[in-house]
Structure formats: structure tokens, C-alpha cells
Amino acid sequence: MQEITLAKQTMKLKDCHSNKVIEVIAKGLMILGIKGDKVPSKPEITYMVDMLQKDYGNLPIGELDLAFELMAKNKLDENPETYQNFSVLYLSRMMGAYARYVRANYVEPKKEFIQIEQPKLDTQEMFDFALDIYKKSKDKSFDKIFMALEVFKHILKNNLTEFNYSEIYNLTLIKLKERIIDRESKNKINEILRDEDQLENMCRRMAVKIYFDSL
């Protein structure tokens, strides 16, 4: 319902100044017909405000106002009659009835997410960027090259060089085995060697390193 949607757009009770909450309660007492010496005492109002901001802190203040209005119009499933005795118990029953009313009458509107397309980096720009990073990097390990697999595709697509795949394969094996220093590292390297896809990607990275080093 529109009235609930609008109420949900207001500030949460926990973020409101207590005077603002008191204003909503005062308005609620008025429309419920609480008058004169039947109005709750200042300590009682203070307790109600504290309870609302702690127990219903995430509830927008507009919904508290709406709860009073619906209660006064007898639209909630609680008896709106106060018998000139507005208490914390009455307030709690009203808030519970309002929660049930919302569950029965309100459907959270679906949020529309606008997907922003990420700008695509031109392959030549990507190649130049990766090369620049490699040249400036102290660590020139073949498996640390930025976007190495994309660079490899760029090299092949543009016929930038002819690779000696046998040499690349053997060099990759040598470099991988050099990393074996204990049982754990041996297991990791053996895992790569047994996995054709991982080993192929390692060889492609090595090919990029060889090409970059030649520039």
C-alpha cells in the first residue's frame, strides 16, 4: 500500500531526536482521544520513547505515526478503545497489530538494479599495460605476469612472434621443479604437472615472459 511505502521512507526511530518521537506520540494520543489528566505522565512518555527507540529502533518514525492512525481508524486487529488509559502495554499491542497489518498488506517492491557495463580495455592497451608492469616489476616470475593469458592470446592473434613450444615446455618444467623445497611444495607442483589445463596455462605464461624479455 502507498501509505506504508511512504512511511517506510522516513527516518528510523533510533536515529530520531526524542522530541520528534514525543511529537508523534502526542499526535497519536490526540487522535485516540486521550485528554487532560488521562495523558501519560512525563516519566511514562520518556519510558515509551526509550522503549520505541530500543525495541523498534529500525522502524521508520513514519510507520509509528501510521500505526496510531490505523489504530484510531479501527483498521488493526486490536481493540482501539483506550478506556482513557494509554499505557506501555497498549502501545506494545498496537505495534504488534501494526506489524501483522504490514505483513498482510505490504509487499516489498522489487529493487531495480542497473547493471553498468564495465569499460573494456582494448587488447593493445592491455598488452602495453601488462608489459609496462612487467618491465617495472622486480619480481619477473613467469606466473606473476599481469593478465598473462590474455597477453598470450594477443600475441598469437597479432602474429607478434613464433614460439618454440618444446623449449617453452621444458623451461616451464625446470622452473616449476626448482620450486620444490619440501613435501608440501612437491605435492603442489606435482598437482600442476598432473593437470593438463594448469600445465598448459603455466606454459603460456612462460611464453609471455620469454616474449617480454625479448623486447
Side-chain angles (χ1 to χ4, degrees):
M1 296 176 66
Q2 184 67 16
E3 57 186 358
I4 301 176
T5 301
L6 292 175
K8 286 185 174 293
Q9 295 172 5
T10 57
M11 184 180 293
K12 292 182 178 180
L13 284 169
K14 65 180 180 182
D15 299 323
C16 292
H17 192 282
S18 59
N19 288 342
K20 186 65 177 176
V21 182
I22 291 173
E23 287 178 10
V24 174
I25 293 176
K27 175 188 172 185
L29 294 176
M30 179 189 70
I31 64 177
L32 285 171
I34 305 295
K35 302 175 182 178
D37 61 355
K38 301 301 181 181
V39 172
S41 66
K42 188 174 181 180
E44 288 176 316
I45 293 292
T46 300
Y47 183 87
M48 290 177 189
V49 171
D50 185 63
M51 181 195 78
L52 287 167
Q53 292 190 307
K54 286 183 178 178
D55 297 346
Y56 301 92
N58 288 321
L59 186 79
I61 192 169
E63 290 198 82
L64 175 62
D65 187 43
L66 180 59
F68 274 112
E69 183 179 332
L70 293 172
M71 191 70 164
K73 292 179 179 179
N74 198 21
K75 291 187 175 182
L76 302 183
D77 61 4
E78 280 285 345
N79 183 3
E81 181 58 60
T82 64
Y83 303 102
Q84 291 298 301
N85 180 26
F86 187 84
S87 63
V88 171
L89 180 59
Y90 183 97
L91 178 60
S92 297
R93 285 203 298 259
M94 182 186 77
M95 298 307 292
Y98 174 74
R100 292 190 293 274
Y101 177 86
V102 171
R103 285 197 294 270
N105 296 279
Y106 178 73
V107 177
E108 189 77 30
K110 293 183 179 180
K111 296 180 180 179
E112 293 185 8
F113 294 95
I114 301 175
Q115 187 170 358
I116 301 175
E117 186 176 350
Q118 295 293 325
K120 294 181 179 179
L121 194 65
D122 178 84
T123 57
Q124 184 60 51
E125 291 177 335
M126 174 272 300
F127 176 86
D128 294 338
F129 186 50
L131 177 60
D132 184 61
I133 291 177
Y134 179 78
K135 292 295 185 182
K136 293 177 179 178
S137 176
K138 292 181 179 179
D139 184 359
K140 290 184 166 48
S141 301
F142 70 98
D143 57 342
K144 300 290 179 64
I145 299 174
F146 177 74
M147 295 187 75
L149 300 180
E150 295 301 317
V151 171
F152 179 80
K153 293 177 184 177
H154 177 79
I155 294 172
L156 291 185
K157 182 179 179 180
N158 292 278
N159 297 316
L160 299 183
T161 188
E162 291 187 8
F163 290 120
N164 184 327
Y165 291 104
S166 177
E167 175 188 345
I168 292 170
Y169 176 77
N170 291 329
L171 184 57
T172 302
L173 291 182
I174 292 172
K175 292 299 181 181
L176 287 174
K177 290 178 180 179
E178 285 178 354
R179 297 181 180 183
I180 298 176
I181 56 175
D182 54 25
R183 180 175 294 178
E184 183 179 357
S185 59
K186 182 178 180 180
N187 289 337
K188 288 182 179 180
I189 297 302
N190 285 336
E191 182 180 340
I192 294 173
L193 297 179
R194 288 193 295 266
D195 188 323
E196 292 185 2
D197 291 334
Q198 283 196 71
L199 183 56
E200 182 177 350
N201 285 334
M202 285 293 183
C203 289
R204 290 179 178 181
R205 292 184 172 93
M206 179 61 75
V208 173
K209 173 179 171 56
I210 292 173
Y211 183 69
F212 274 0
D213 288 339
S214 69
L215 298 179

